[in-house]
Structure formats: C-alpha cells, structure tokens
Amino acid sequence: MTTATTARPAAPPAPGRPQRHRSRRYGRAITFFVAPFGVLFLAFYLVPIGYAVWQSMLTVERDGTFGAARTVFGGFTQYQQVFQHTEFWESIGRVLLFGVVQVPVMLGLALVFALLLDSPLVKGKKFFRLAYFVPYAVPGVIAAIMWGFLYSPQLSPFTALTANVPVLGADLVLWAIANVVTWVYVGYNMLIIYSALLAIPSEVYEAAVLDGASQTRIARSIKIPMVMPAISLTAIFSIIGTLQLLAEPQVFRSFSSAVTSTFTPNMTVFTTSAVPNTSLAAAFSVVLALATFVLSFGFLKFSQRREAR
C-alpha cells in the first residue's frame, strides 16, 4: 500500500529582496552613464577652480631688492590688491554698462525674429531661419576682424560714414563692439526662443483664433508669456558672456587705441598673467567668477519670482 505525498509549495521570496536587487542594478547603470561626465567635470572644472583659488592665496617674496624670489602663502594679500585695482573695477563697470544696453537689444531682436518665424503669415521660413543663424557660425574673432575693417576709415567701403563718425573712438568703440556681439549671437538666442515656441501646443492657438484673437494678440498674450523661461535662460547666458567678454575687444585693439589692455575684466586677467603675476591674475579670476555667479543667480531668482506672480 502506497501513501500519496503532497508536494510542499515553494517558499515565497523574502519581501523587499527583488526591489533591493533592482535598485542596485539601476544604481550601477546610473553610475556607469554618469561617471564619464563626472570625471570630466572634476578634471576640467572643479580642479581648475580649486587650483585658481589656491594660486590666488600665494605671493612672491624676495630677500632684498635683487634676492631670489620665492612663492609663499600670503592669505588674502592678492585680494587686497584686487579691491585697490582701479582699472579692474573700471573694466567691470564698463562691461556692466555694455550688458545693460546690449543684452536687452539682442534678446529683443531674438524674440522678434522668433515670433516672425513662428507666425503663419510669414513665407520662406527656412531661408530666414538659416539667415538669422548664419552669423553665429562665424567665429567671434573672424566676426570682430570683419567688422573692424568695416569700421576703419582707411579700409571701410563706407568711408563717407566712417570718416565723419568716429566709430572706433573712445566714445563709440564700446558700442561698436556691442554691435558685433549682437550680430553674432542674435541667431543663437533666436533659435532657443523659437524652439520654445514650437513646443507650445497648437490647440492653444486654435482656441485663441476661435475666440477672435489676432496674430498680434496671440503673440502678446500667449506666445511671449509662455516662452519667458527660454528668455530668462538666454538672459542668464548673456550675462555670463558679457562679463567674460574677451575676443572682440582683444581684436579691436588692432583697430582702435581706445581699447586698452584692461578694457574688460578678462583682458585685465590676461594682461596681469602675462607680466607674469599669476597669483594676482588668479585673484582677479576668482572675484570675477563670484561677481558672475551673484549677477546670474540674482537674475534667475528675480525672474522666478516674476513668473510665480
């Protein structure tokens, strides 16, 4: 006589084990994809910043007038010279004036061009989109050289204008540089704003048309408010770029004596490092980076508060 045996059911898996295994697997995958960026960010961003801060804390001492120079830790000695350096602060004031005028003009043109490209009334959008963006494909140095020749009274084909208007003089050279920067970067900012316009659902426009809104009213009441985050982004990029202005004024030194070696903060850093006084140049760079952070972060918080209202 045989006895029937009943199969014992398998024990259920311990609760939480599959989830923990899945979390570890996802964690390894995330680490694998993020690691290349992390290594490059550390090597080419954080390490140079740390080295610049350390370099700014050093100073050079000599034993007597002709003694051997040695580098020692000087604390905030270099920063005391930074805050006493009149030309550096004048250069910061100059680029701030530059930004107050140039950035709104550039972003205003970029917004107008983006709205025109997004309008259903405009024909030939592909041509105009390419035409607006082409100047950005020209390197900044080449653009500055090209405009420098156009401004120069001896070389410009518009001698009737440049001979009577001192575009490269001390009073106008800053705005001549602003024109070059505007010409180059309007298309870049236009593309960012235009991409934000394309992301707006078409149903919003259709509802506005059914309500009898004109294209001008749609642009003013719908499009512009909905692309304000993109405009804020381009404004932050422009603020950072304004304080880092270097290539255009450096090229204009060949055309105008009004552009000095300390015309912009970055030119002051470049000139100081060429002396060489790398510690003072590093201190200039750290102060400039902090000023850039404060201005860009302050504008970001201001724009976020306005959008929250």
Side-chain angles (χ1 to χ4, degrees), residues 55 57-61 70-75 77-78 81 279:
Q55 189 73 26
M57 297 290 183
L58 303 179
T59 186
V60 177
E61 291 184 352
R70 65 179 184 275
T71 302
V72 298
F73 182 79
T77 303
Q78 302 294 350
Q81 297 187 41
S279 296

Side-chain angles (χ1 to χ4, degrees), residues 134-190:
V134 160
Y136 181 69
V138 179
V141 174
I142 304 301
I145 293 174
M146 180 185 70
W147 280 96
F149 277 104
L150 292 176
Y151 290 146
S152 180
Q154 295 80 16
L155 304 172
S156 174
F158 311 105
T159 53
L161 175 64
T162 56
N164 298 312
V165 180
V167 181
L168 297 177
D171 296 330
L172 296 178
V173 68
L174 181 66
W175 311 118
I177 296 172
N179 178 63
V180 178
V181 176
T182 302
W183 182 79
V184 171
Y185 288 99
V186 161
Y188 169 79
N189 293 297
M190 177 274 301

Side-chain angles (χ1 to χ4, degrees), residues 15-100:
R17 184 177 301 174
Q19 290 81 358
R20 288 196 298 269
H21 178 71
R22 191 178 300 112
S23 300
R24 287 196 298 269
R25 185 176 61 190
Y26 289 160
R28 287 194 295 268
I30 293 172
T31 303
F32 176 78
F33 286 108
V34 173
F37 166 79
V39 171
L40 295 175
F41 183 77
L42 176 66
F44 296 102
Y45 191 79
L46 295 182
V47 171
I49 289 176
Y51 180 74
V53 173
W54 167 250
Q55 189 73 26
S56 68
M57 297 290 183
L58 303 179
T59 186
V60 177
E61 291 184 352
R62 295 179 183 272
D63 294 328
T65 305
F66 302 102
R70 65 179 184 275
T71 302
V72 298
F73 182 79
F76 294 100
T77 303
Q78 302 294 350
Y79 290 96
Q80 293 177 358
Q81 297 187 41
V82 169
F83 289 102
Q84 296 171 0
H85 201 284
T86 306
E87 293 179 338
F88 176 71
W89 293 105
E90 288 178 351
S91 68
I92 287 185
R94 190 175 294 115
V95 295
L96 289 178
L97 175 62
F98 175 95
V100 167

